[in-house]
Amino acid sequence: MLTSTNLTNWVTIQSGTLQEFKSAAFGSDTFVIVGRGGVFYQCDYLANTPINIVTPPAPVTALAGNNASFSVSVTGRAPFSYQWFKNGALISGARASTLTLRDVTPADAGNFHVVVNNDTTSATSPAAMLTVQPVNVGVHPPEVYLFVNTSGAFNAAVSGATPLGYQWRRGDTPLAGATNATLVINNAQTDDSGAYSVWVTFAAGQLPSTNAGLLSVISSLEEISLVLDPAYVDAPIGSMVEIAAIVAGPVPLSYQWLKNGEPMPGATNATLVLTNVQSADAAEYTYYVVYPLGMLTNEFNPAFVNVFHAEPPVITGSRLTASGTMQNSFTGLSDRSYQLDYTTSLAPPVVWDFVESIALTGTAGAFQVSIPLFGVESQAYFRIRILPP
């Protein structure tokens, strides 16, 4: 073998083996020679070969929710140790040549650099910036109902960055040719029912939609559900009442509201609004909808509106009877329930104890309720509360 310390003057030495040398390589500050049959020979490490950062970490732009990675490559005498920093602060546990940040958020953005060490030297990389784009991808509308042989669509709702491409999926299966911002379902059949999502490609990577759009293809009116929200309203005189028609099915062609079974002129919206309600508005409300296949009604699931005067109950007197009970008198509304409570102190925080529930029927007016005394108290305070119907 020929050896040199300056690449100019070479000295011949014996290898000390009869093996035929096949190839030689240099790396990590040492030479390795491979002999016939796979025999290895390695020289001593060269002295004081400094660390050289060959490829420093490069700037990264990542989408919020994706991963971001920085890497560094070096030459010199191995082994090497690494320590990554963010904005000059040490990152605990970041001690590999590659730093991976998972599910990044805008709070992860900053400048990152790495310090590399071996037995004799140290090198610091230049800083590389991480930029995080807060991008949102969704599917709108979240639900689509279609009759068989009709058409509908889902749209990709994207904000935060400019999309470069789209790929729609049904379940986990990509749909061939479905690469536009809008997915159109033509001539829908029952087999088309299912969940549809979209993957959107940006310059900084890909993101899936955070929700899936649910498609239901309906072949008969029996598959449509009509409900009301709310189903019961207890409204004081003069207030406003809104009742919404909730349709679990395709959008109707028209609506018609009914009061006690009779159509209400002009009440043809999805929401029924009653303003300045009076006693005459206390009734049963239903609606029907019209589709190309026919009419559908919720007559067996009506909404009820109860109208009442809004005066609160008033305690008109309390007295201790000869039998040792406390008799309380109050005025209130008929056909309502009340709750009587008492406390021994009005100093905050006031703690009220339940005494009795009272259901009143008949004509509104003055009522009396007698209760036993609760121990020997120097004083007691009472309150009466009207309960929800």
Side-chain angles (χ1 to χ4, degrees):
M1 293 189 298
L2 299 178
T3 65
S4 175
T5 59
N6 56 17
L7 300 182
T8 300
N9 301 317
W10 293 86
V11 177
T12 301
I13 65 172
Q14 296 296 319
S15 66
T17 179
L18 297 178
Q19 291 285 347
E20 178 183 356
F21 293 159
K22 301 298 293 182
S23 60
F26 174 79
S28 298
D29 207 26
T30 183
F31 281 97
V32 176
I33 298 175
V34 182
R36 181 181 295 276
V39 179
F40 285 86
Y41 301 89
Q42 181 178 356
C43 75
D44 290 336
Y45 287 103
L46 304 180
N48 299 323
T49 301
I51 295 174
N52 178 40
I53 295 180
V54 178
T55 307
V60 175
T61 298
L63 303 175
N66 280 357
N67 297 341
S69 295
F70 294 98
S71 294
V72 66
S73 65
V74 300
T75 59
R77 178 182 293 181
F80 305 105
S81 64
Y82 304 86
Q83 179 59 63
W84 289 88
F85 295 80
K86 176 187 176 184
N87 296 331
L90 183 146
I91 304 175
S92 178
R95 302 184 63 84
S97 60
T98 297
L99 171 67
T100 299
L101 306 172
R102 302 190 180 279
D103 302 323
V104 296
T105 69
D108 293 314
N111 289 302
F112 294 79
H113 76 273
V114 63
V115 175
V116 187
N117 291 280
N118 64 9
D119 290 341
T120 58
T121 57
S122 177
T124 300
S125 76
M129 178 176 289
L130 170 62
T131 302
V132 179
Q133 293 181 329
V135 178
N136 294 309
V137 176
V139 174
H140 181 78
E143 290 183 326
V144 170
Y145 293 90
L146 298 176
F147 285 115
V148 169
N149 298 324
T150 63
S151 299
F154 290 108
N155 297 301
V158 181
S159 63
T162 302
L164 300 180
Y166 304 86
Q167 178 58 65
W168 288 90
R169 301 182 178 207
R170 181 186 173 194
D172 296 326
T173 304
L175 299 174
T179 56
N180 296 318
T182 299
L183 174 67
V184 179
I185 297 95
N186 291 310
N187 191 31
Q189 302 300 310
T190 54
D191 289 345
D192 294 319
S193 297
Y196 291 79
S197 60
V198 62
W199 281 76
V200 181
T201 301
F202 303 90
Q206 284 188 326
L207 276 182
S209 57
T210 55
N211 70 305
L214 182 64
L215 172 65
S216 299
V217 181
I218 295 172
S219 58
S220 71
L221 293 178
E222 295 178 356
E223 300 175 55
I224 301 174
S225 173
L226 303 183
V227 296
L228 289 164
D229 183 31
Y232 187 92
V233 181
D234 198 37
I237 284 180
S239 64
M240 183 179 73
V241 172
E242 291 188 7
I243 306 173
I246 309 299
V247 179
V251 176
L253 298 178
S254 64
Y255 295 84
Q256 177 61 60
W257 287 89
L258 301 94
K259 176 182 178 182
N260 292 331
E262 296 296 326
M264 301 174 64
T268 57
N269 296 320
T271 300
L272 175 66
V273 179
L274 305 175
T275 60
N276 189 29
V277 296
Q278 301 298 314
S279 298
D281 294 311
E284 175 184 285
Y285 293 87
T286 56
Y287 69 100
Y288 66 78
V289 294
V290 176
Y291 290 104
L293 300 182
M295 185 183 74
L296 193 63
T297 179
N298 79 319
E299 61 181 328
F300 299 111
N301 296 288
F304 298 92
V305 174
N306 177 45
V307 181
F308 65 91
H309 292 275
E311 295 89 348
V314 177
I315 294 180
T316 57
S318 297
R319 70 183 185 90
L320 182 64
T321 67
S323 61
T325 62
M326 180 65 70
Q327 186 178 77
N328 290 274
S329 302
F330 68 95
T331 59
L333 305 175
S334 62
D335 299 318
R336 293 301 298 269
S337 295
Y338 296 85
Q339 178 174 312
L340 182 65
D341 303 320
Y342 93 106
T343 184
T344 58
S345 174
L346 295 179
V350 180
V351 178
W352 292 95
D353 293 312
F354 169 79
V355 176
E356 187 175 352
S357 292
I358 308 155
L360 304 181
T361 58
T363 305
F367 304 91
Q368 292 184 343
V369 58
S370 297
I371 60 172
L373 290 177
F374 293 85
V376 179
E377 304 288 356
S378 58
Q379 61 184 6
Y381 303 90
F382 296 89
R383 72 176 183 183
I384 190 77
R385 293 192 296 157
I386 190 169
L387 299 177

